[in-house]
Amino acid sequence: MTGPESLRRVTSAHPRLLDAALATLVGGAGMVPLLLGRWPDGDRASGADAVAAVAAFLLLLVRRRAPLPVLALTVLGEVAFTVLASQPSRALKITVLLVIYTVARTVPRRTALTVTAGTALVLYAVIAYAMGSAYTPEAGAVFAWTGMFAAVGGTVRTWRDYVAAVEERALRAEASKEAEARRRVAEERLRIARELHDVIAHHIALITIQAGVAGHFLRDRPDQADVALGHIRDGGRTVLDELGSLLYVLRQSGGEPDETQPAEPVPGLARLGGLLDSLTAAGLSVRHRQTGRPRPLPTAVDLAAYRVIQEGLTNAHKHGATAEADLLVGYGPGALRIRITNLLHTRPSPVPAAGTGHGLTGMRERAHTVGGSFRAGAEPDGRFRLDVRLPLPEAAPPAGTEASDGSGTALYPTAAEGRQG
């Protein structure tokens, strides 16, 4: 640590110590001529100089607490000394300049400017009175000295304000960075919770249904029970695979990625056929219709669409009056539409669009996260309807032909539809 830096830190931490040192220096300098009998310029020292030195010492000790009253007292003391001793006090003159510096550094700028100008005029009048002339160099130098000390005080004030502003901006930036980190952690936790819910809820629901089927056929039709147990094994293996992919991503700590593991467990509509096949094997008959020409989707929209369909069809299987559901996936010019309908157990008893479980809440949050819309509820005909629209980038239809149902929409039957006959 350098000498000036150490001095700055000490004076910043102990400003009263600096005031005491400065007051002792000015007061002591005013007392030295009394010991020598005269001032360096030949003027004789008197008892009034001792009083002025003591006054300068006391005023400098309290200049930080009340700079304006201290300045007023110092100027009045200089005026009184000049009138009584017919000459200005050197100690009080130095004290005035030091207090001018303090005023310029602490009080508002407009007030400091006004006070500095008034002090300079008073000191000019005092020196002119003592010298017997208003045109002496000493009288003119008063404006230069007061202006210089006021300018130094204003510069120090500006520098400290700048440093304080920089420190405040740094603190705000640090706080903003911490808040952003907390927000990202919360979003990541929410994303992981959604993934775990979607992965586990769907497959565990199918495993539960298949376990019931196996228990029903275990004695009378063991071959059917064996098929159901096979579906349970497949479902359990799928859950473990997807959980393994998700947990692998969570264990990554920023090192080199392992090329033998998937970088991110992000399913999409490309896996819709496998999803429908698993639901069909679990006993849910899905009438799937697709309109529009499929095209590559943004990753977030693709994942949201897959998870909404997975959760919606799982809910239809668990809560529907029949093991049937209708699925429409429509590719529009600016949105992807997903509609799932199934017959409810009771009719009319509407289900509120807000949902009562985590399934509907999770689907709504997924839709809203990518800027889409979500609506779910019971229709007057006793069917539950789930309608989701996810935004898509505008895309012109590519050249080519496609199968049509006569209404301008393309139909893409799936393996699930083929097995329904």
Side-chain angles (χ1 to χ4, degrees):
M1 185 181 296
T2 61
E5 181 67 16
S6 301
L7 179 61
R8 186 187 67 82
R9 291 193 177 185
V10 170
T11 55
S12 298
H14 307 282
R16 304 302 177 192
L17 181 62
L18 175 63
D19 290 345
L22 191 60
T24 302
L25 179 63
V26 174
M31 288 293 186
V32 169
L34 293 175
L35 301 176
L36 300 178
R38 63 181 60 250
W39 288 91
D41 58 2
D43 293 339
R44 295 185 59 83
S46 63
D49 291 315
V51 174
V54 173
F57 174 80
L58 296 176
L59 291 171
L60 287 175
L61 283 180
V62 296
R63 65 188 177 93
R64 291 180 190 268
R65 298 180 184 178
L68 290 178
V70 168
L71 178 62
L73 290 176
T74 307
V75 172
L76 289 176
E78 180 75 345
V79 172
F81 188 93
T82 303
V83 172
L84 295 176
S86 300
Q87 63 178 359
S89 167
R90 294 168 175 81
L92 290 177
K93 186 187 301 182
I94 296 175
T95 303
V96 169
L97 296 178
L98 293 175
V99 178
I100 281 288
Y101 162 82
T102 305
V103 167
R105 190 175 60 84
T106 56
V107 305
R109 288 182 173 83
R110 181 171 296 180
T111 302
L113 180 61
T114 303
V115 170
T116 300
T119 301
L121 290 175
V122 172
L123 292 180
Y124 173 79
V126 167
I127 294 177
Y129 170 80
M131 296 296 179
S133 174
Y135 301 103
T136 60
E138 292 82 358
V142 167
F143 295 101
W145 283 104
T146 54
M148 182 182 69
F149 275 79
V152 172
T155 302
V156 172
R157 176 198 183 99
T158 301
W159 171 252
R160 293 193 174 182
D161 290 345
Y162 170 76
V163 171
V166 170
E167 292 177 350
E168 182 182 0
R169 284 198 298 269
L171 292 176
R172 285 202 304 265
E174 187 66 24
S176 176
K177 184 186 299 183
E178 293 178 358
E180 178 67 14
R182 288 193 296 268
R183 184 187 66 81
R184 289 182 179 274
V185 169
E187 290 181 352
E188 184 64 14
R189 287 177 177 172
L190 179 59
R191 185 190 70 83
I192 293 170
R194 288 173 180 164
E195 291 296 319
L196 288 175
H197 174 272
D198 292 339
V199 168
I200 295 176
H202 168 70
H203 293 289
I204 295 301
L206 298 184
I207 289 173
T208 303
I209 294 171
Q210 291 296 329
V213 173
H216 179 72
F217 290 123
L218 187 59
R219 293 183 179 180
D220 300 332
R221 301 178 62 182
D223 56 334
Q224 293 295 327
D226 187 63
V227 172
L229 291 174
H231 290 315
I232 291 175
R233 286 193 299 270
D234 294 339
R237 188 179 300 111
T238 303
V239 170
L240 291 177
D241 291 342
E242 293 202 28
L243 285 179
S245 298
L246 181 61
L247 295 177
Y248 173 79
V249 173
L250 296 180
R251 287 194 299 266
Q252 292 291 84
S253 59
E256 292 296 327
D258 186 356
E259 296 182 357
T260 63
Q261 293 286 346
E264 181 75 14
V266 182
L269 293 184
R271 294 170 53 179
L272 182 58
L275 174 64
L276 297 181
D277 288 343
S278 67
L279 289 166
T280 301
L284 178 65
S285 177
V286 182
R287 291 184 290 269
H288 174 214
R289 189 163 66 98
Q290 183 170 285
T291 64
R293 179 178 293 277
R295 62 181 186 269
L297 305 179
T299 302
V301 174
D302 201 15
L303 173 61
Y306 179 86
R307 292 306 190 194
V308 165
I309 294 174
Q310 182 185 54
E311 183 66 25
L313 292 177
T314 301
N315 287 345
H317 196 13
K318 290 191 294 185
H319 306 299
T322 62
E324 295 181 350
D326 294 299
L327 169 64
L328 169 66
V329 179
Y331 290 84
L336 175 71
R337 181 184 181 187
I338 300 171
R339 187 177 65 193
I340 300 174
T341 55
N342 65 282
L343 187 63
L344 291 174
H345 278 295
T346 57
R347 182 184 176 185
S349 184
V351 178
T356 57
H358 295 293
L360 291 179
T361 301
M363 287 187 284
R364 184 189 311 105
E365 290 178 350
R366 283 192 180 275
H368 291 170
T369 297
V370 296
S373 63
F374 174 89
R375 189 178 69 84
E379 299 293 325
D381 59 357
R383 299 179 69 83
F384 185 84
R385 178 170 175 172
L386 175 72
D387 201 343
V388 177
R389 292 180 181 271
L390 306 177
L392 294 180
E394 296 289 342
T401 59
E402 58 184 19
S404 175
D405 63 354
S407 62
T409 59
L411 300 180
Y412 297 83
T414 64
E417 285 184 288
R419 282 193 292 273
Q420 293 172 29

